[in-house]
Amino acid sequence: MRLNREEKMQSEEAHSCAERDKALEAELRLAIRAQYHFRASEQGLLAWDVRRLVRLSRDLPRQAVALSDIAELDRDHWYGHGSTSPTVRSVVEHCQLIMAADLAYPIILDSAGRVMDGMHRVGKALLLGHNHIDAVRFMVDPAPDYQDCDPDSLPYDD
């Protein structure tokens, strides 16, 4: 069976899109450390792989969000799940991550406006005296990657 020219171009385009997606996924794995967004639910602790959230949100429109609208700034965001606690060492580690955060990348919000990724960037924007931060927002939340999970048993090294 021979493909006509248009079908061949569409096939090549689909193939190049698939290759681009694979390359982006590999790049994300190298560029972003394995990390998860956690949320308590009636089904137990839910976890989303941040690298997947970045991939799923890459084509969402950017919007400026007021830091005053980010409720997580006044909540326990990094502690409370798993065995981590706010020791001086862990606070310093978060400070290092805040200092290294790149504000060129938007934070990711769920459909209700809660932060799913980007609290170190939010912290950096606050430290620098910014009033707003760039964000992307899901209209419909993606399904979690893990349900009723133990944060300490998730894969962090792949």
Side-chain angles (χ1 to χ4, degrees):
M1 176 171 114
R2 289 186 63 172
L3 298 176
N4 68 34
R5 184 176 178 193
E6 185 176 321
E7 290 172 328
K8 185 176 180 181
M9 287 175 55
Q10 288 174 345
S11 175
E12 288 173 359
E13 185 177 303
H15 183 69
S16 66
C17 286
E19 285 184 6
R20 184 196 71 205
D21 287 347
K22 284 181 185 178
L24 179 62
E25 188 71 29
E27 184 179 317
L28 282 174
R29 292 212 177 273
L30 292 174
I32 300 175
R33 64 188 170 85
Q35 57 188 308
Y36 300 91
H37 168 68
F38 297 105
R39 184 167 304 149
S41 77
E42 292 178 5
Q43 296 79 33
L45 190 63
L46 306 177
W48 286 260
D49 184 320
V50 169
R51 294 172 297 192
R52 185 173 70 97
L53 293 176
V54 168
R55 186 174 65 342
L56 293 174
S57 67
R58 72 177 178 218
D59 294 326
L60 295 175
R62 285 185 181 214
Q63 57 185 316
V65 172
L67 292 180
S68 60
D69 290 341
I70 298 177
E72 290 84 357
L73 278 171
D74 297 306
R75 296 189 180 143
D76 180 359
H77 183 76
W78 290 311
Y79 303 100
H81 304 296
S83 62
T84 59
S85 60
T87 64
V88 172
R89 184 179 310 280
S90 71
V91 170
V92 168
E93 289 170 356
H94 279 290
C95 288
Q96 291 169 328
L97 291 169
I98 289 170
M99 290 170 36
D102 188 345
L103 295 178
Y105 298 98
I107 65 172
I108 300 173
L109 304 175
D110 71 5
S111 60
R114 295 174 293 191
V115 176
M116 295 185 87
D117 175 55
M119 279 307 294
H120 293 107
R121 281 168 273 155
V122 170
K124 185 170 190 171
L126 184 66
L127 278 170
L128 294 174
H130 296 196
N131 293 320
H132 292 81
I133 191 165
D134 281 347
V136 293
R137 185 173 179 171
F138 288 109
M139 298 310 291
V140 176
D141 296 339
D145 295 290
Y146 300 93
Q147 184 174 313
D148 195 22
C149 65
D150 172 11
D152 295 328
S153 67
L154 296 177
Y156 288 95
D157 56 0
D158 59 342

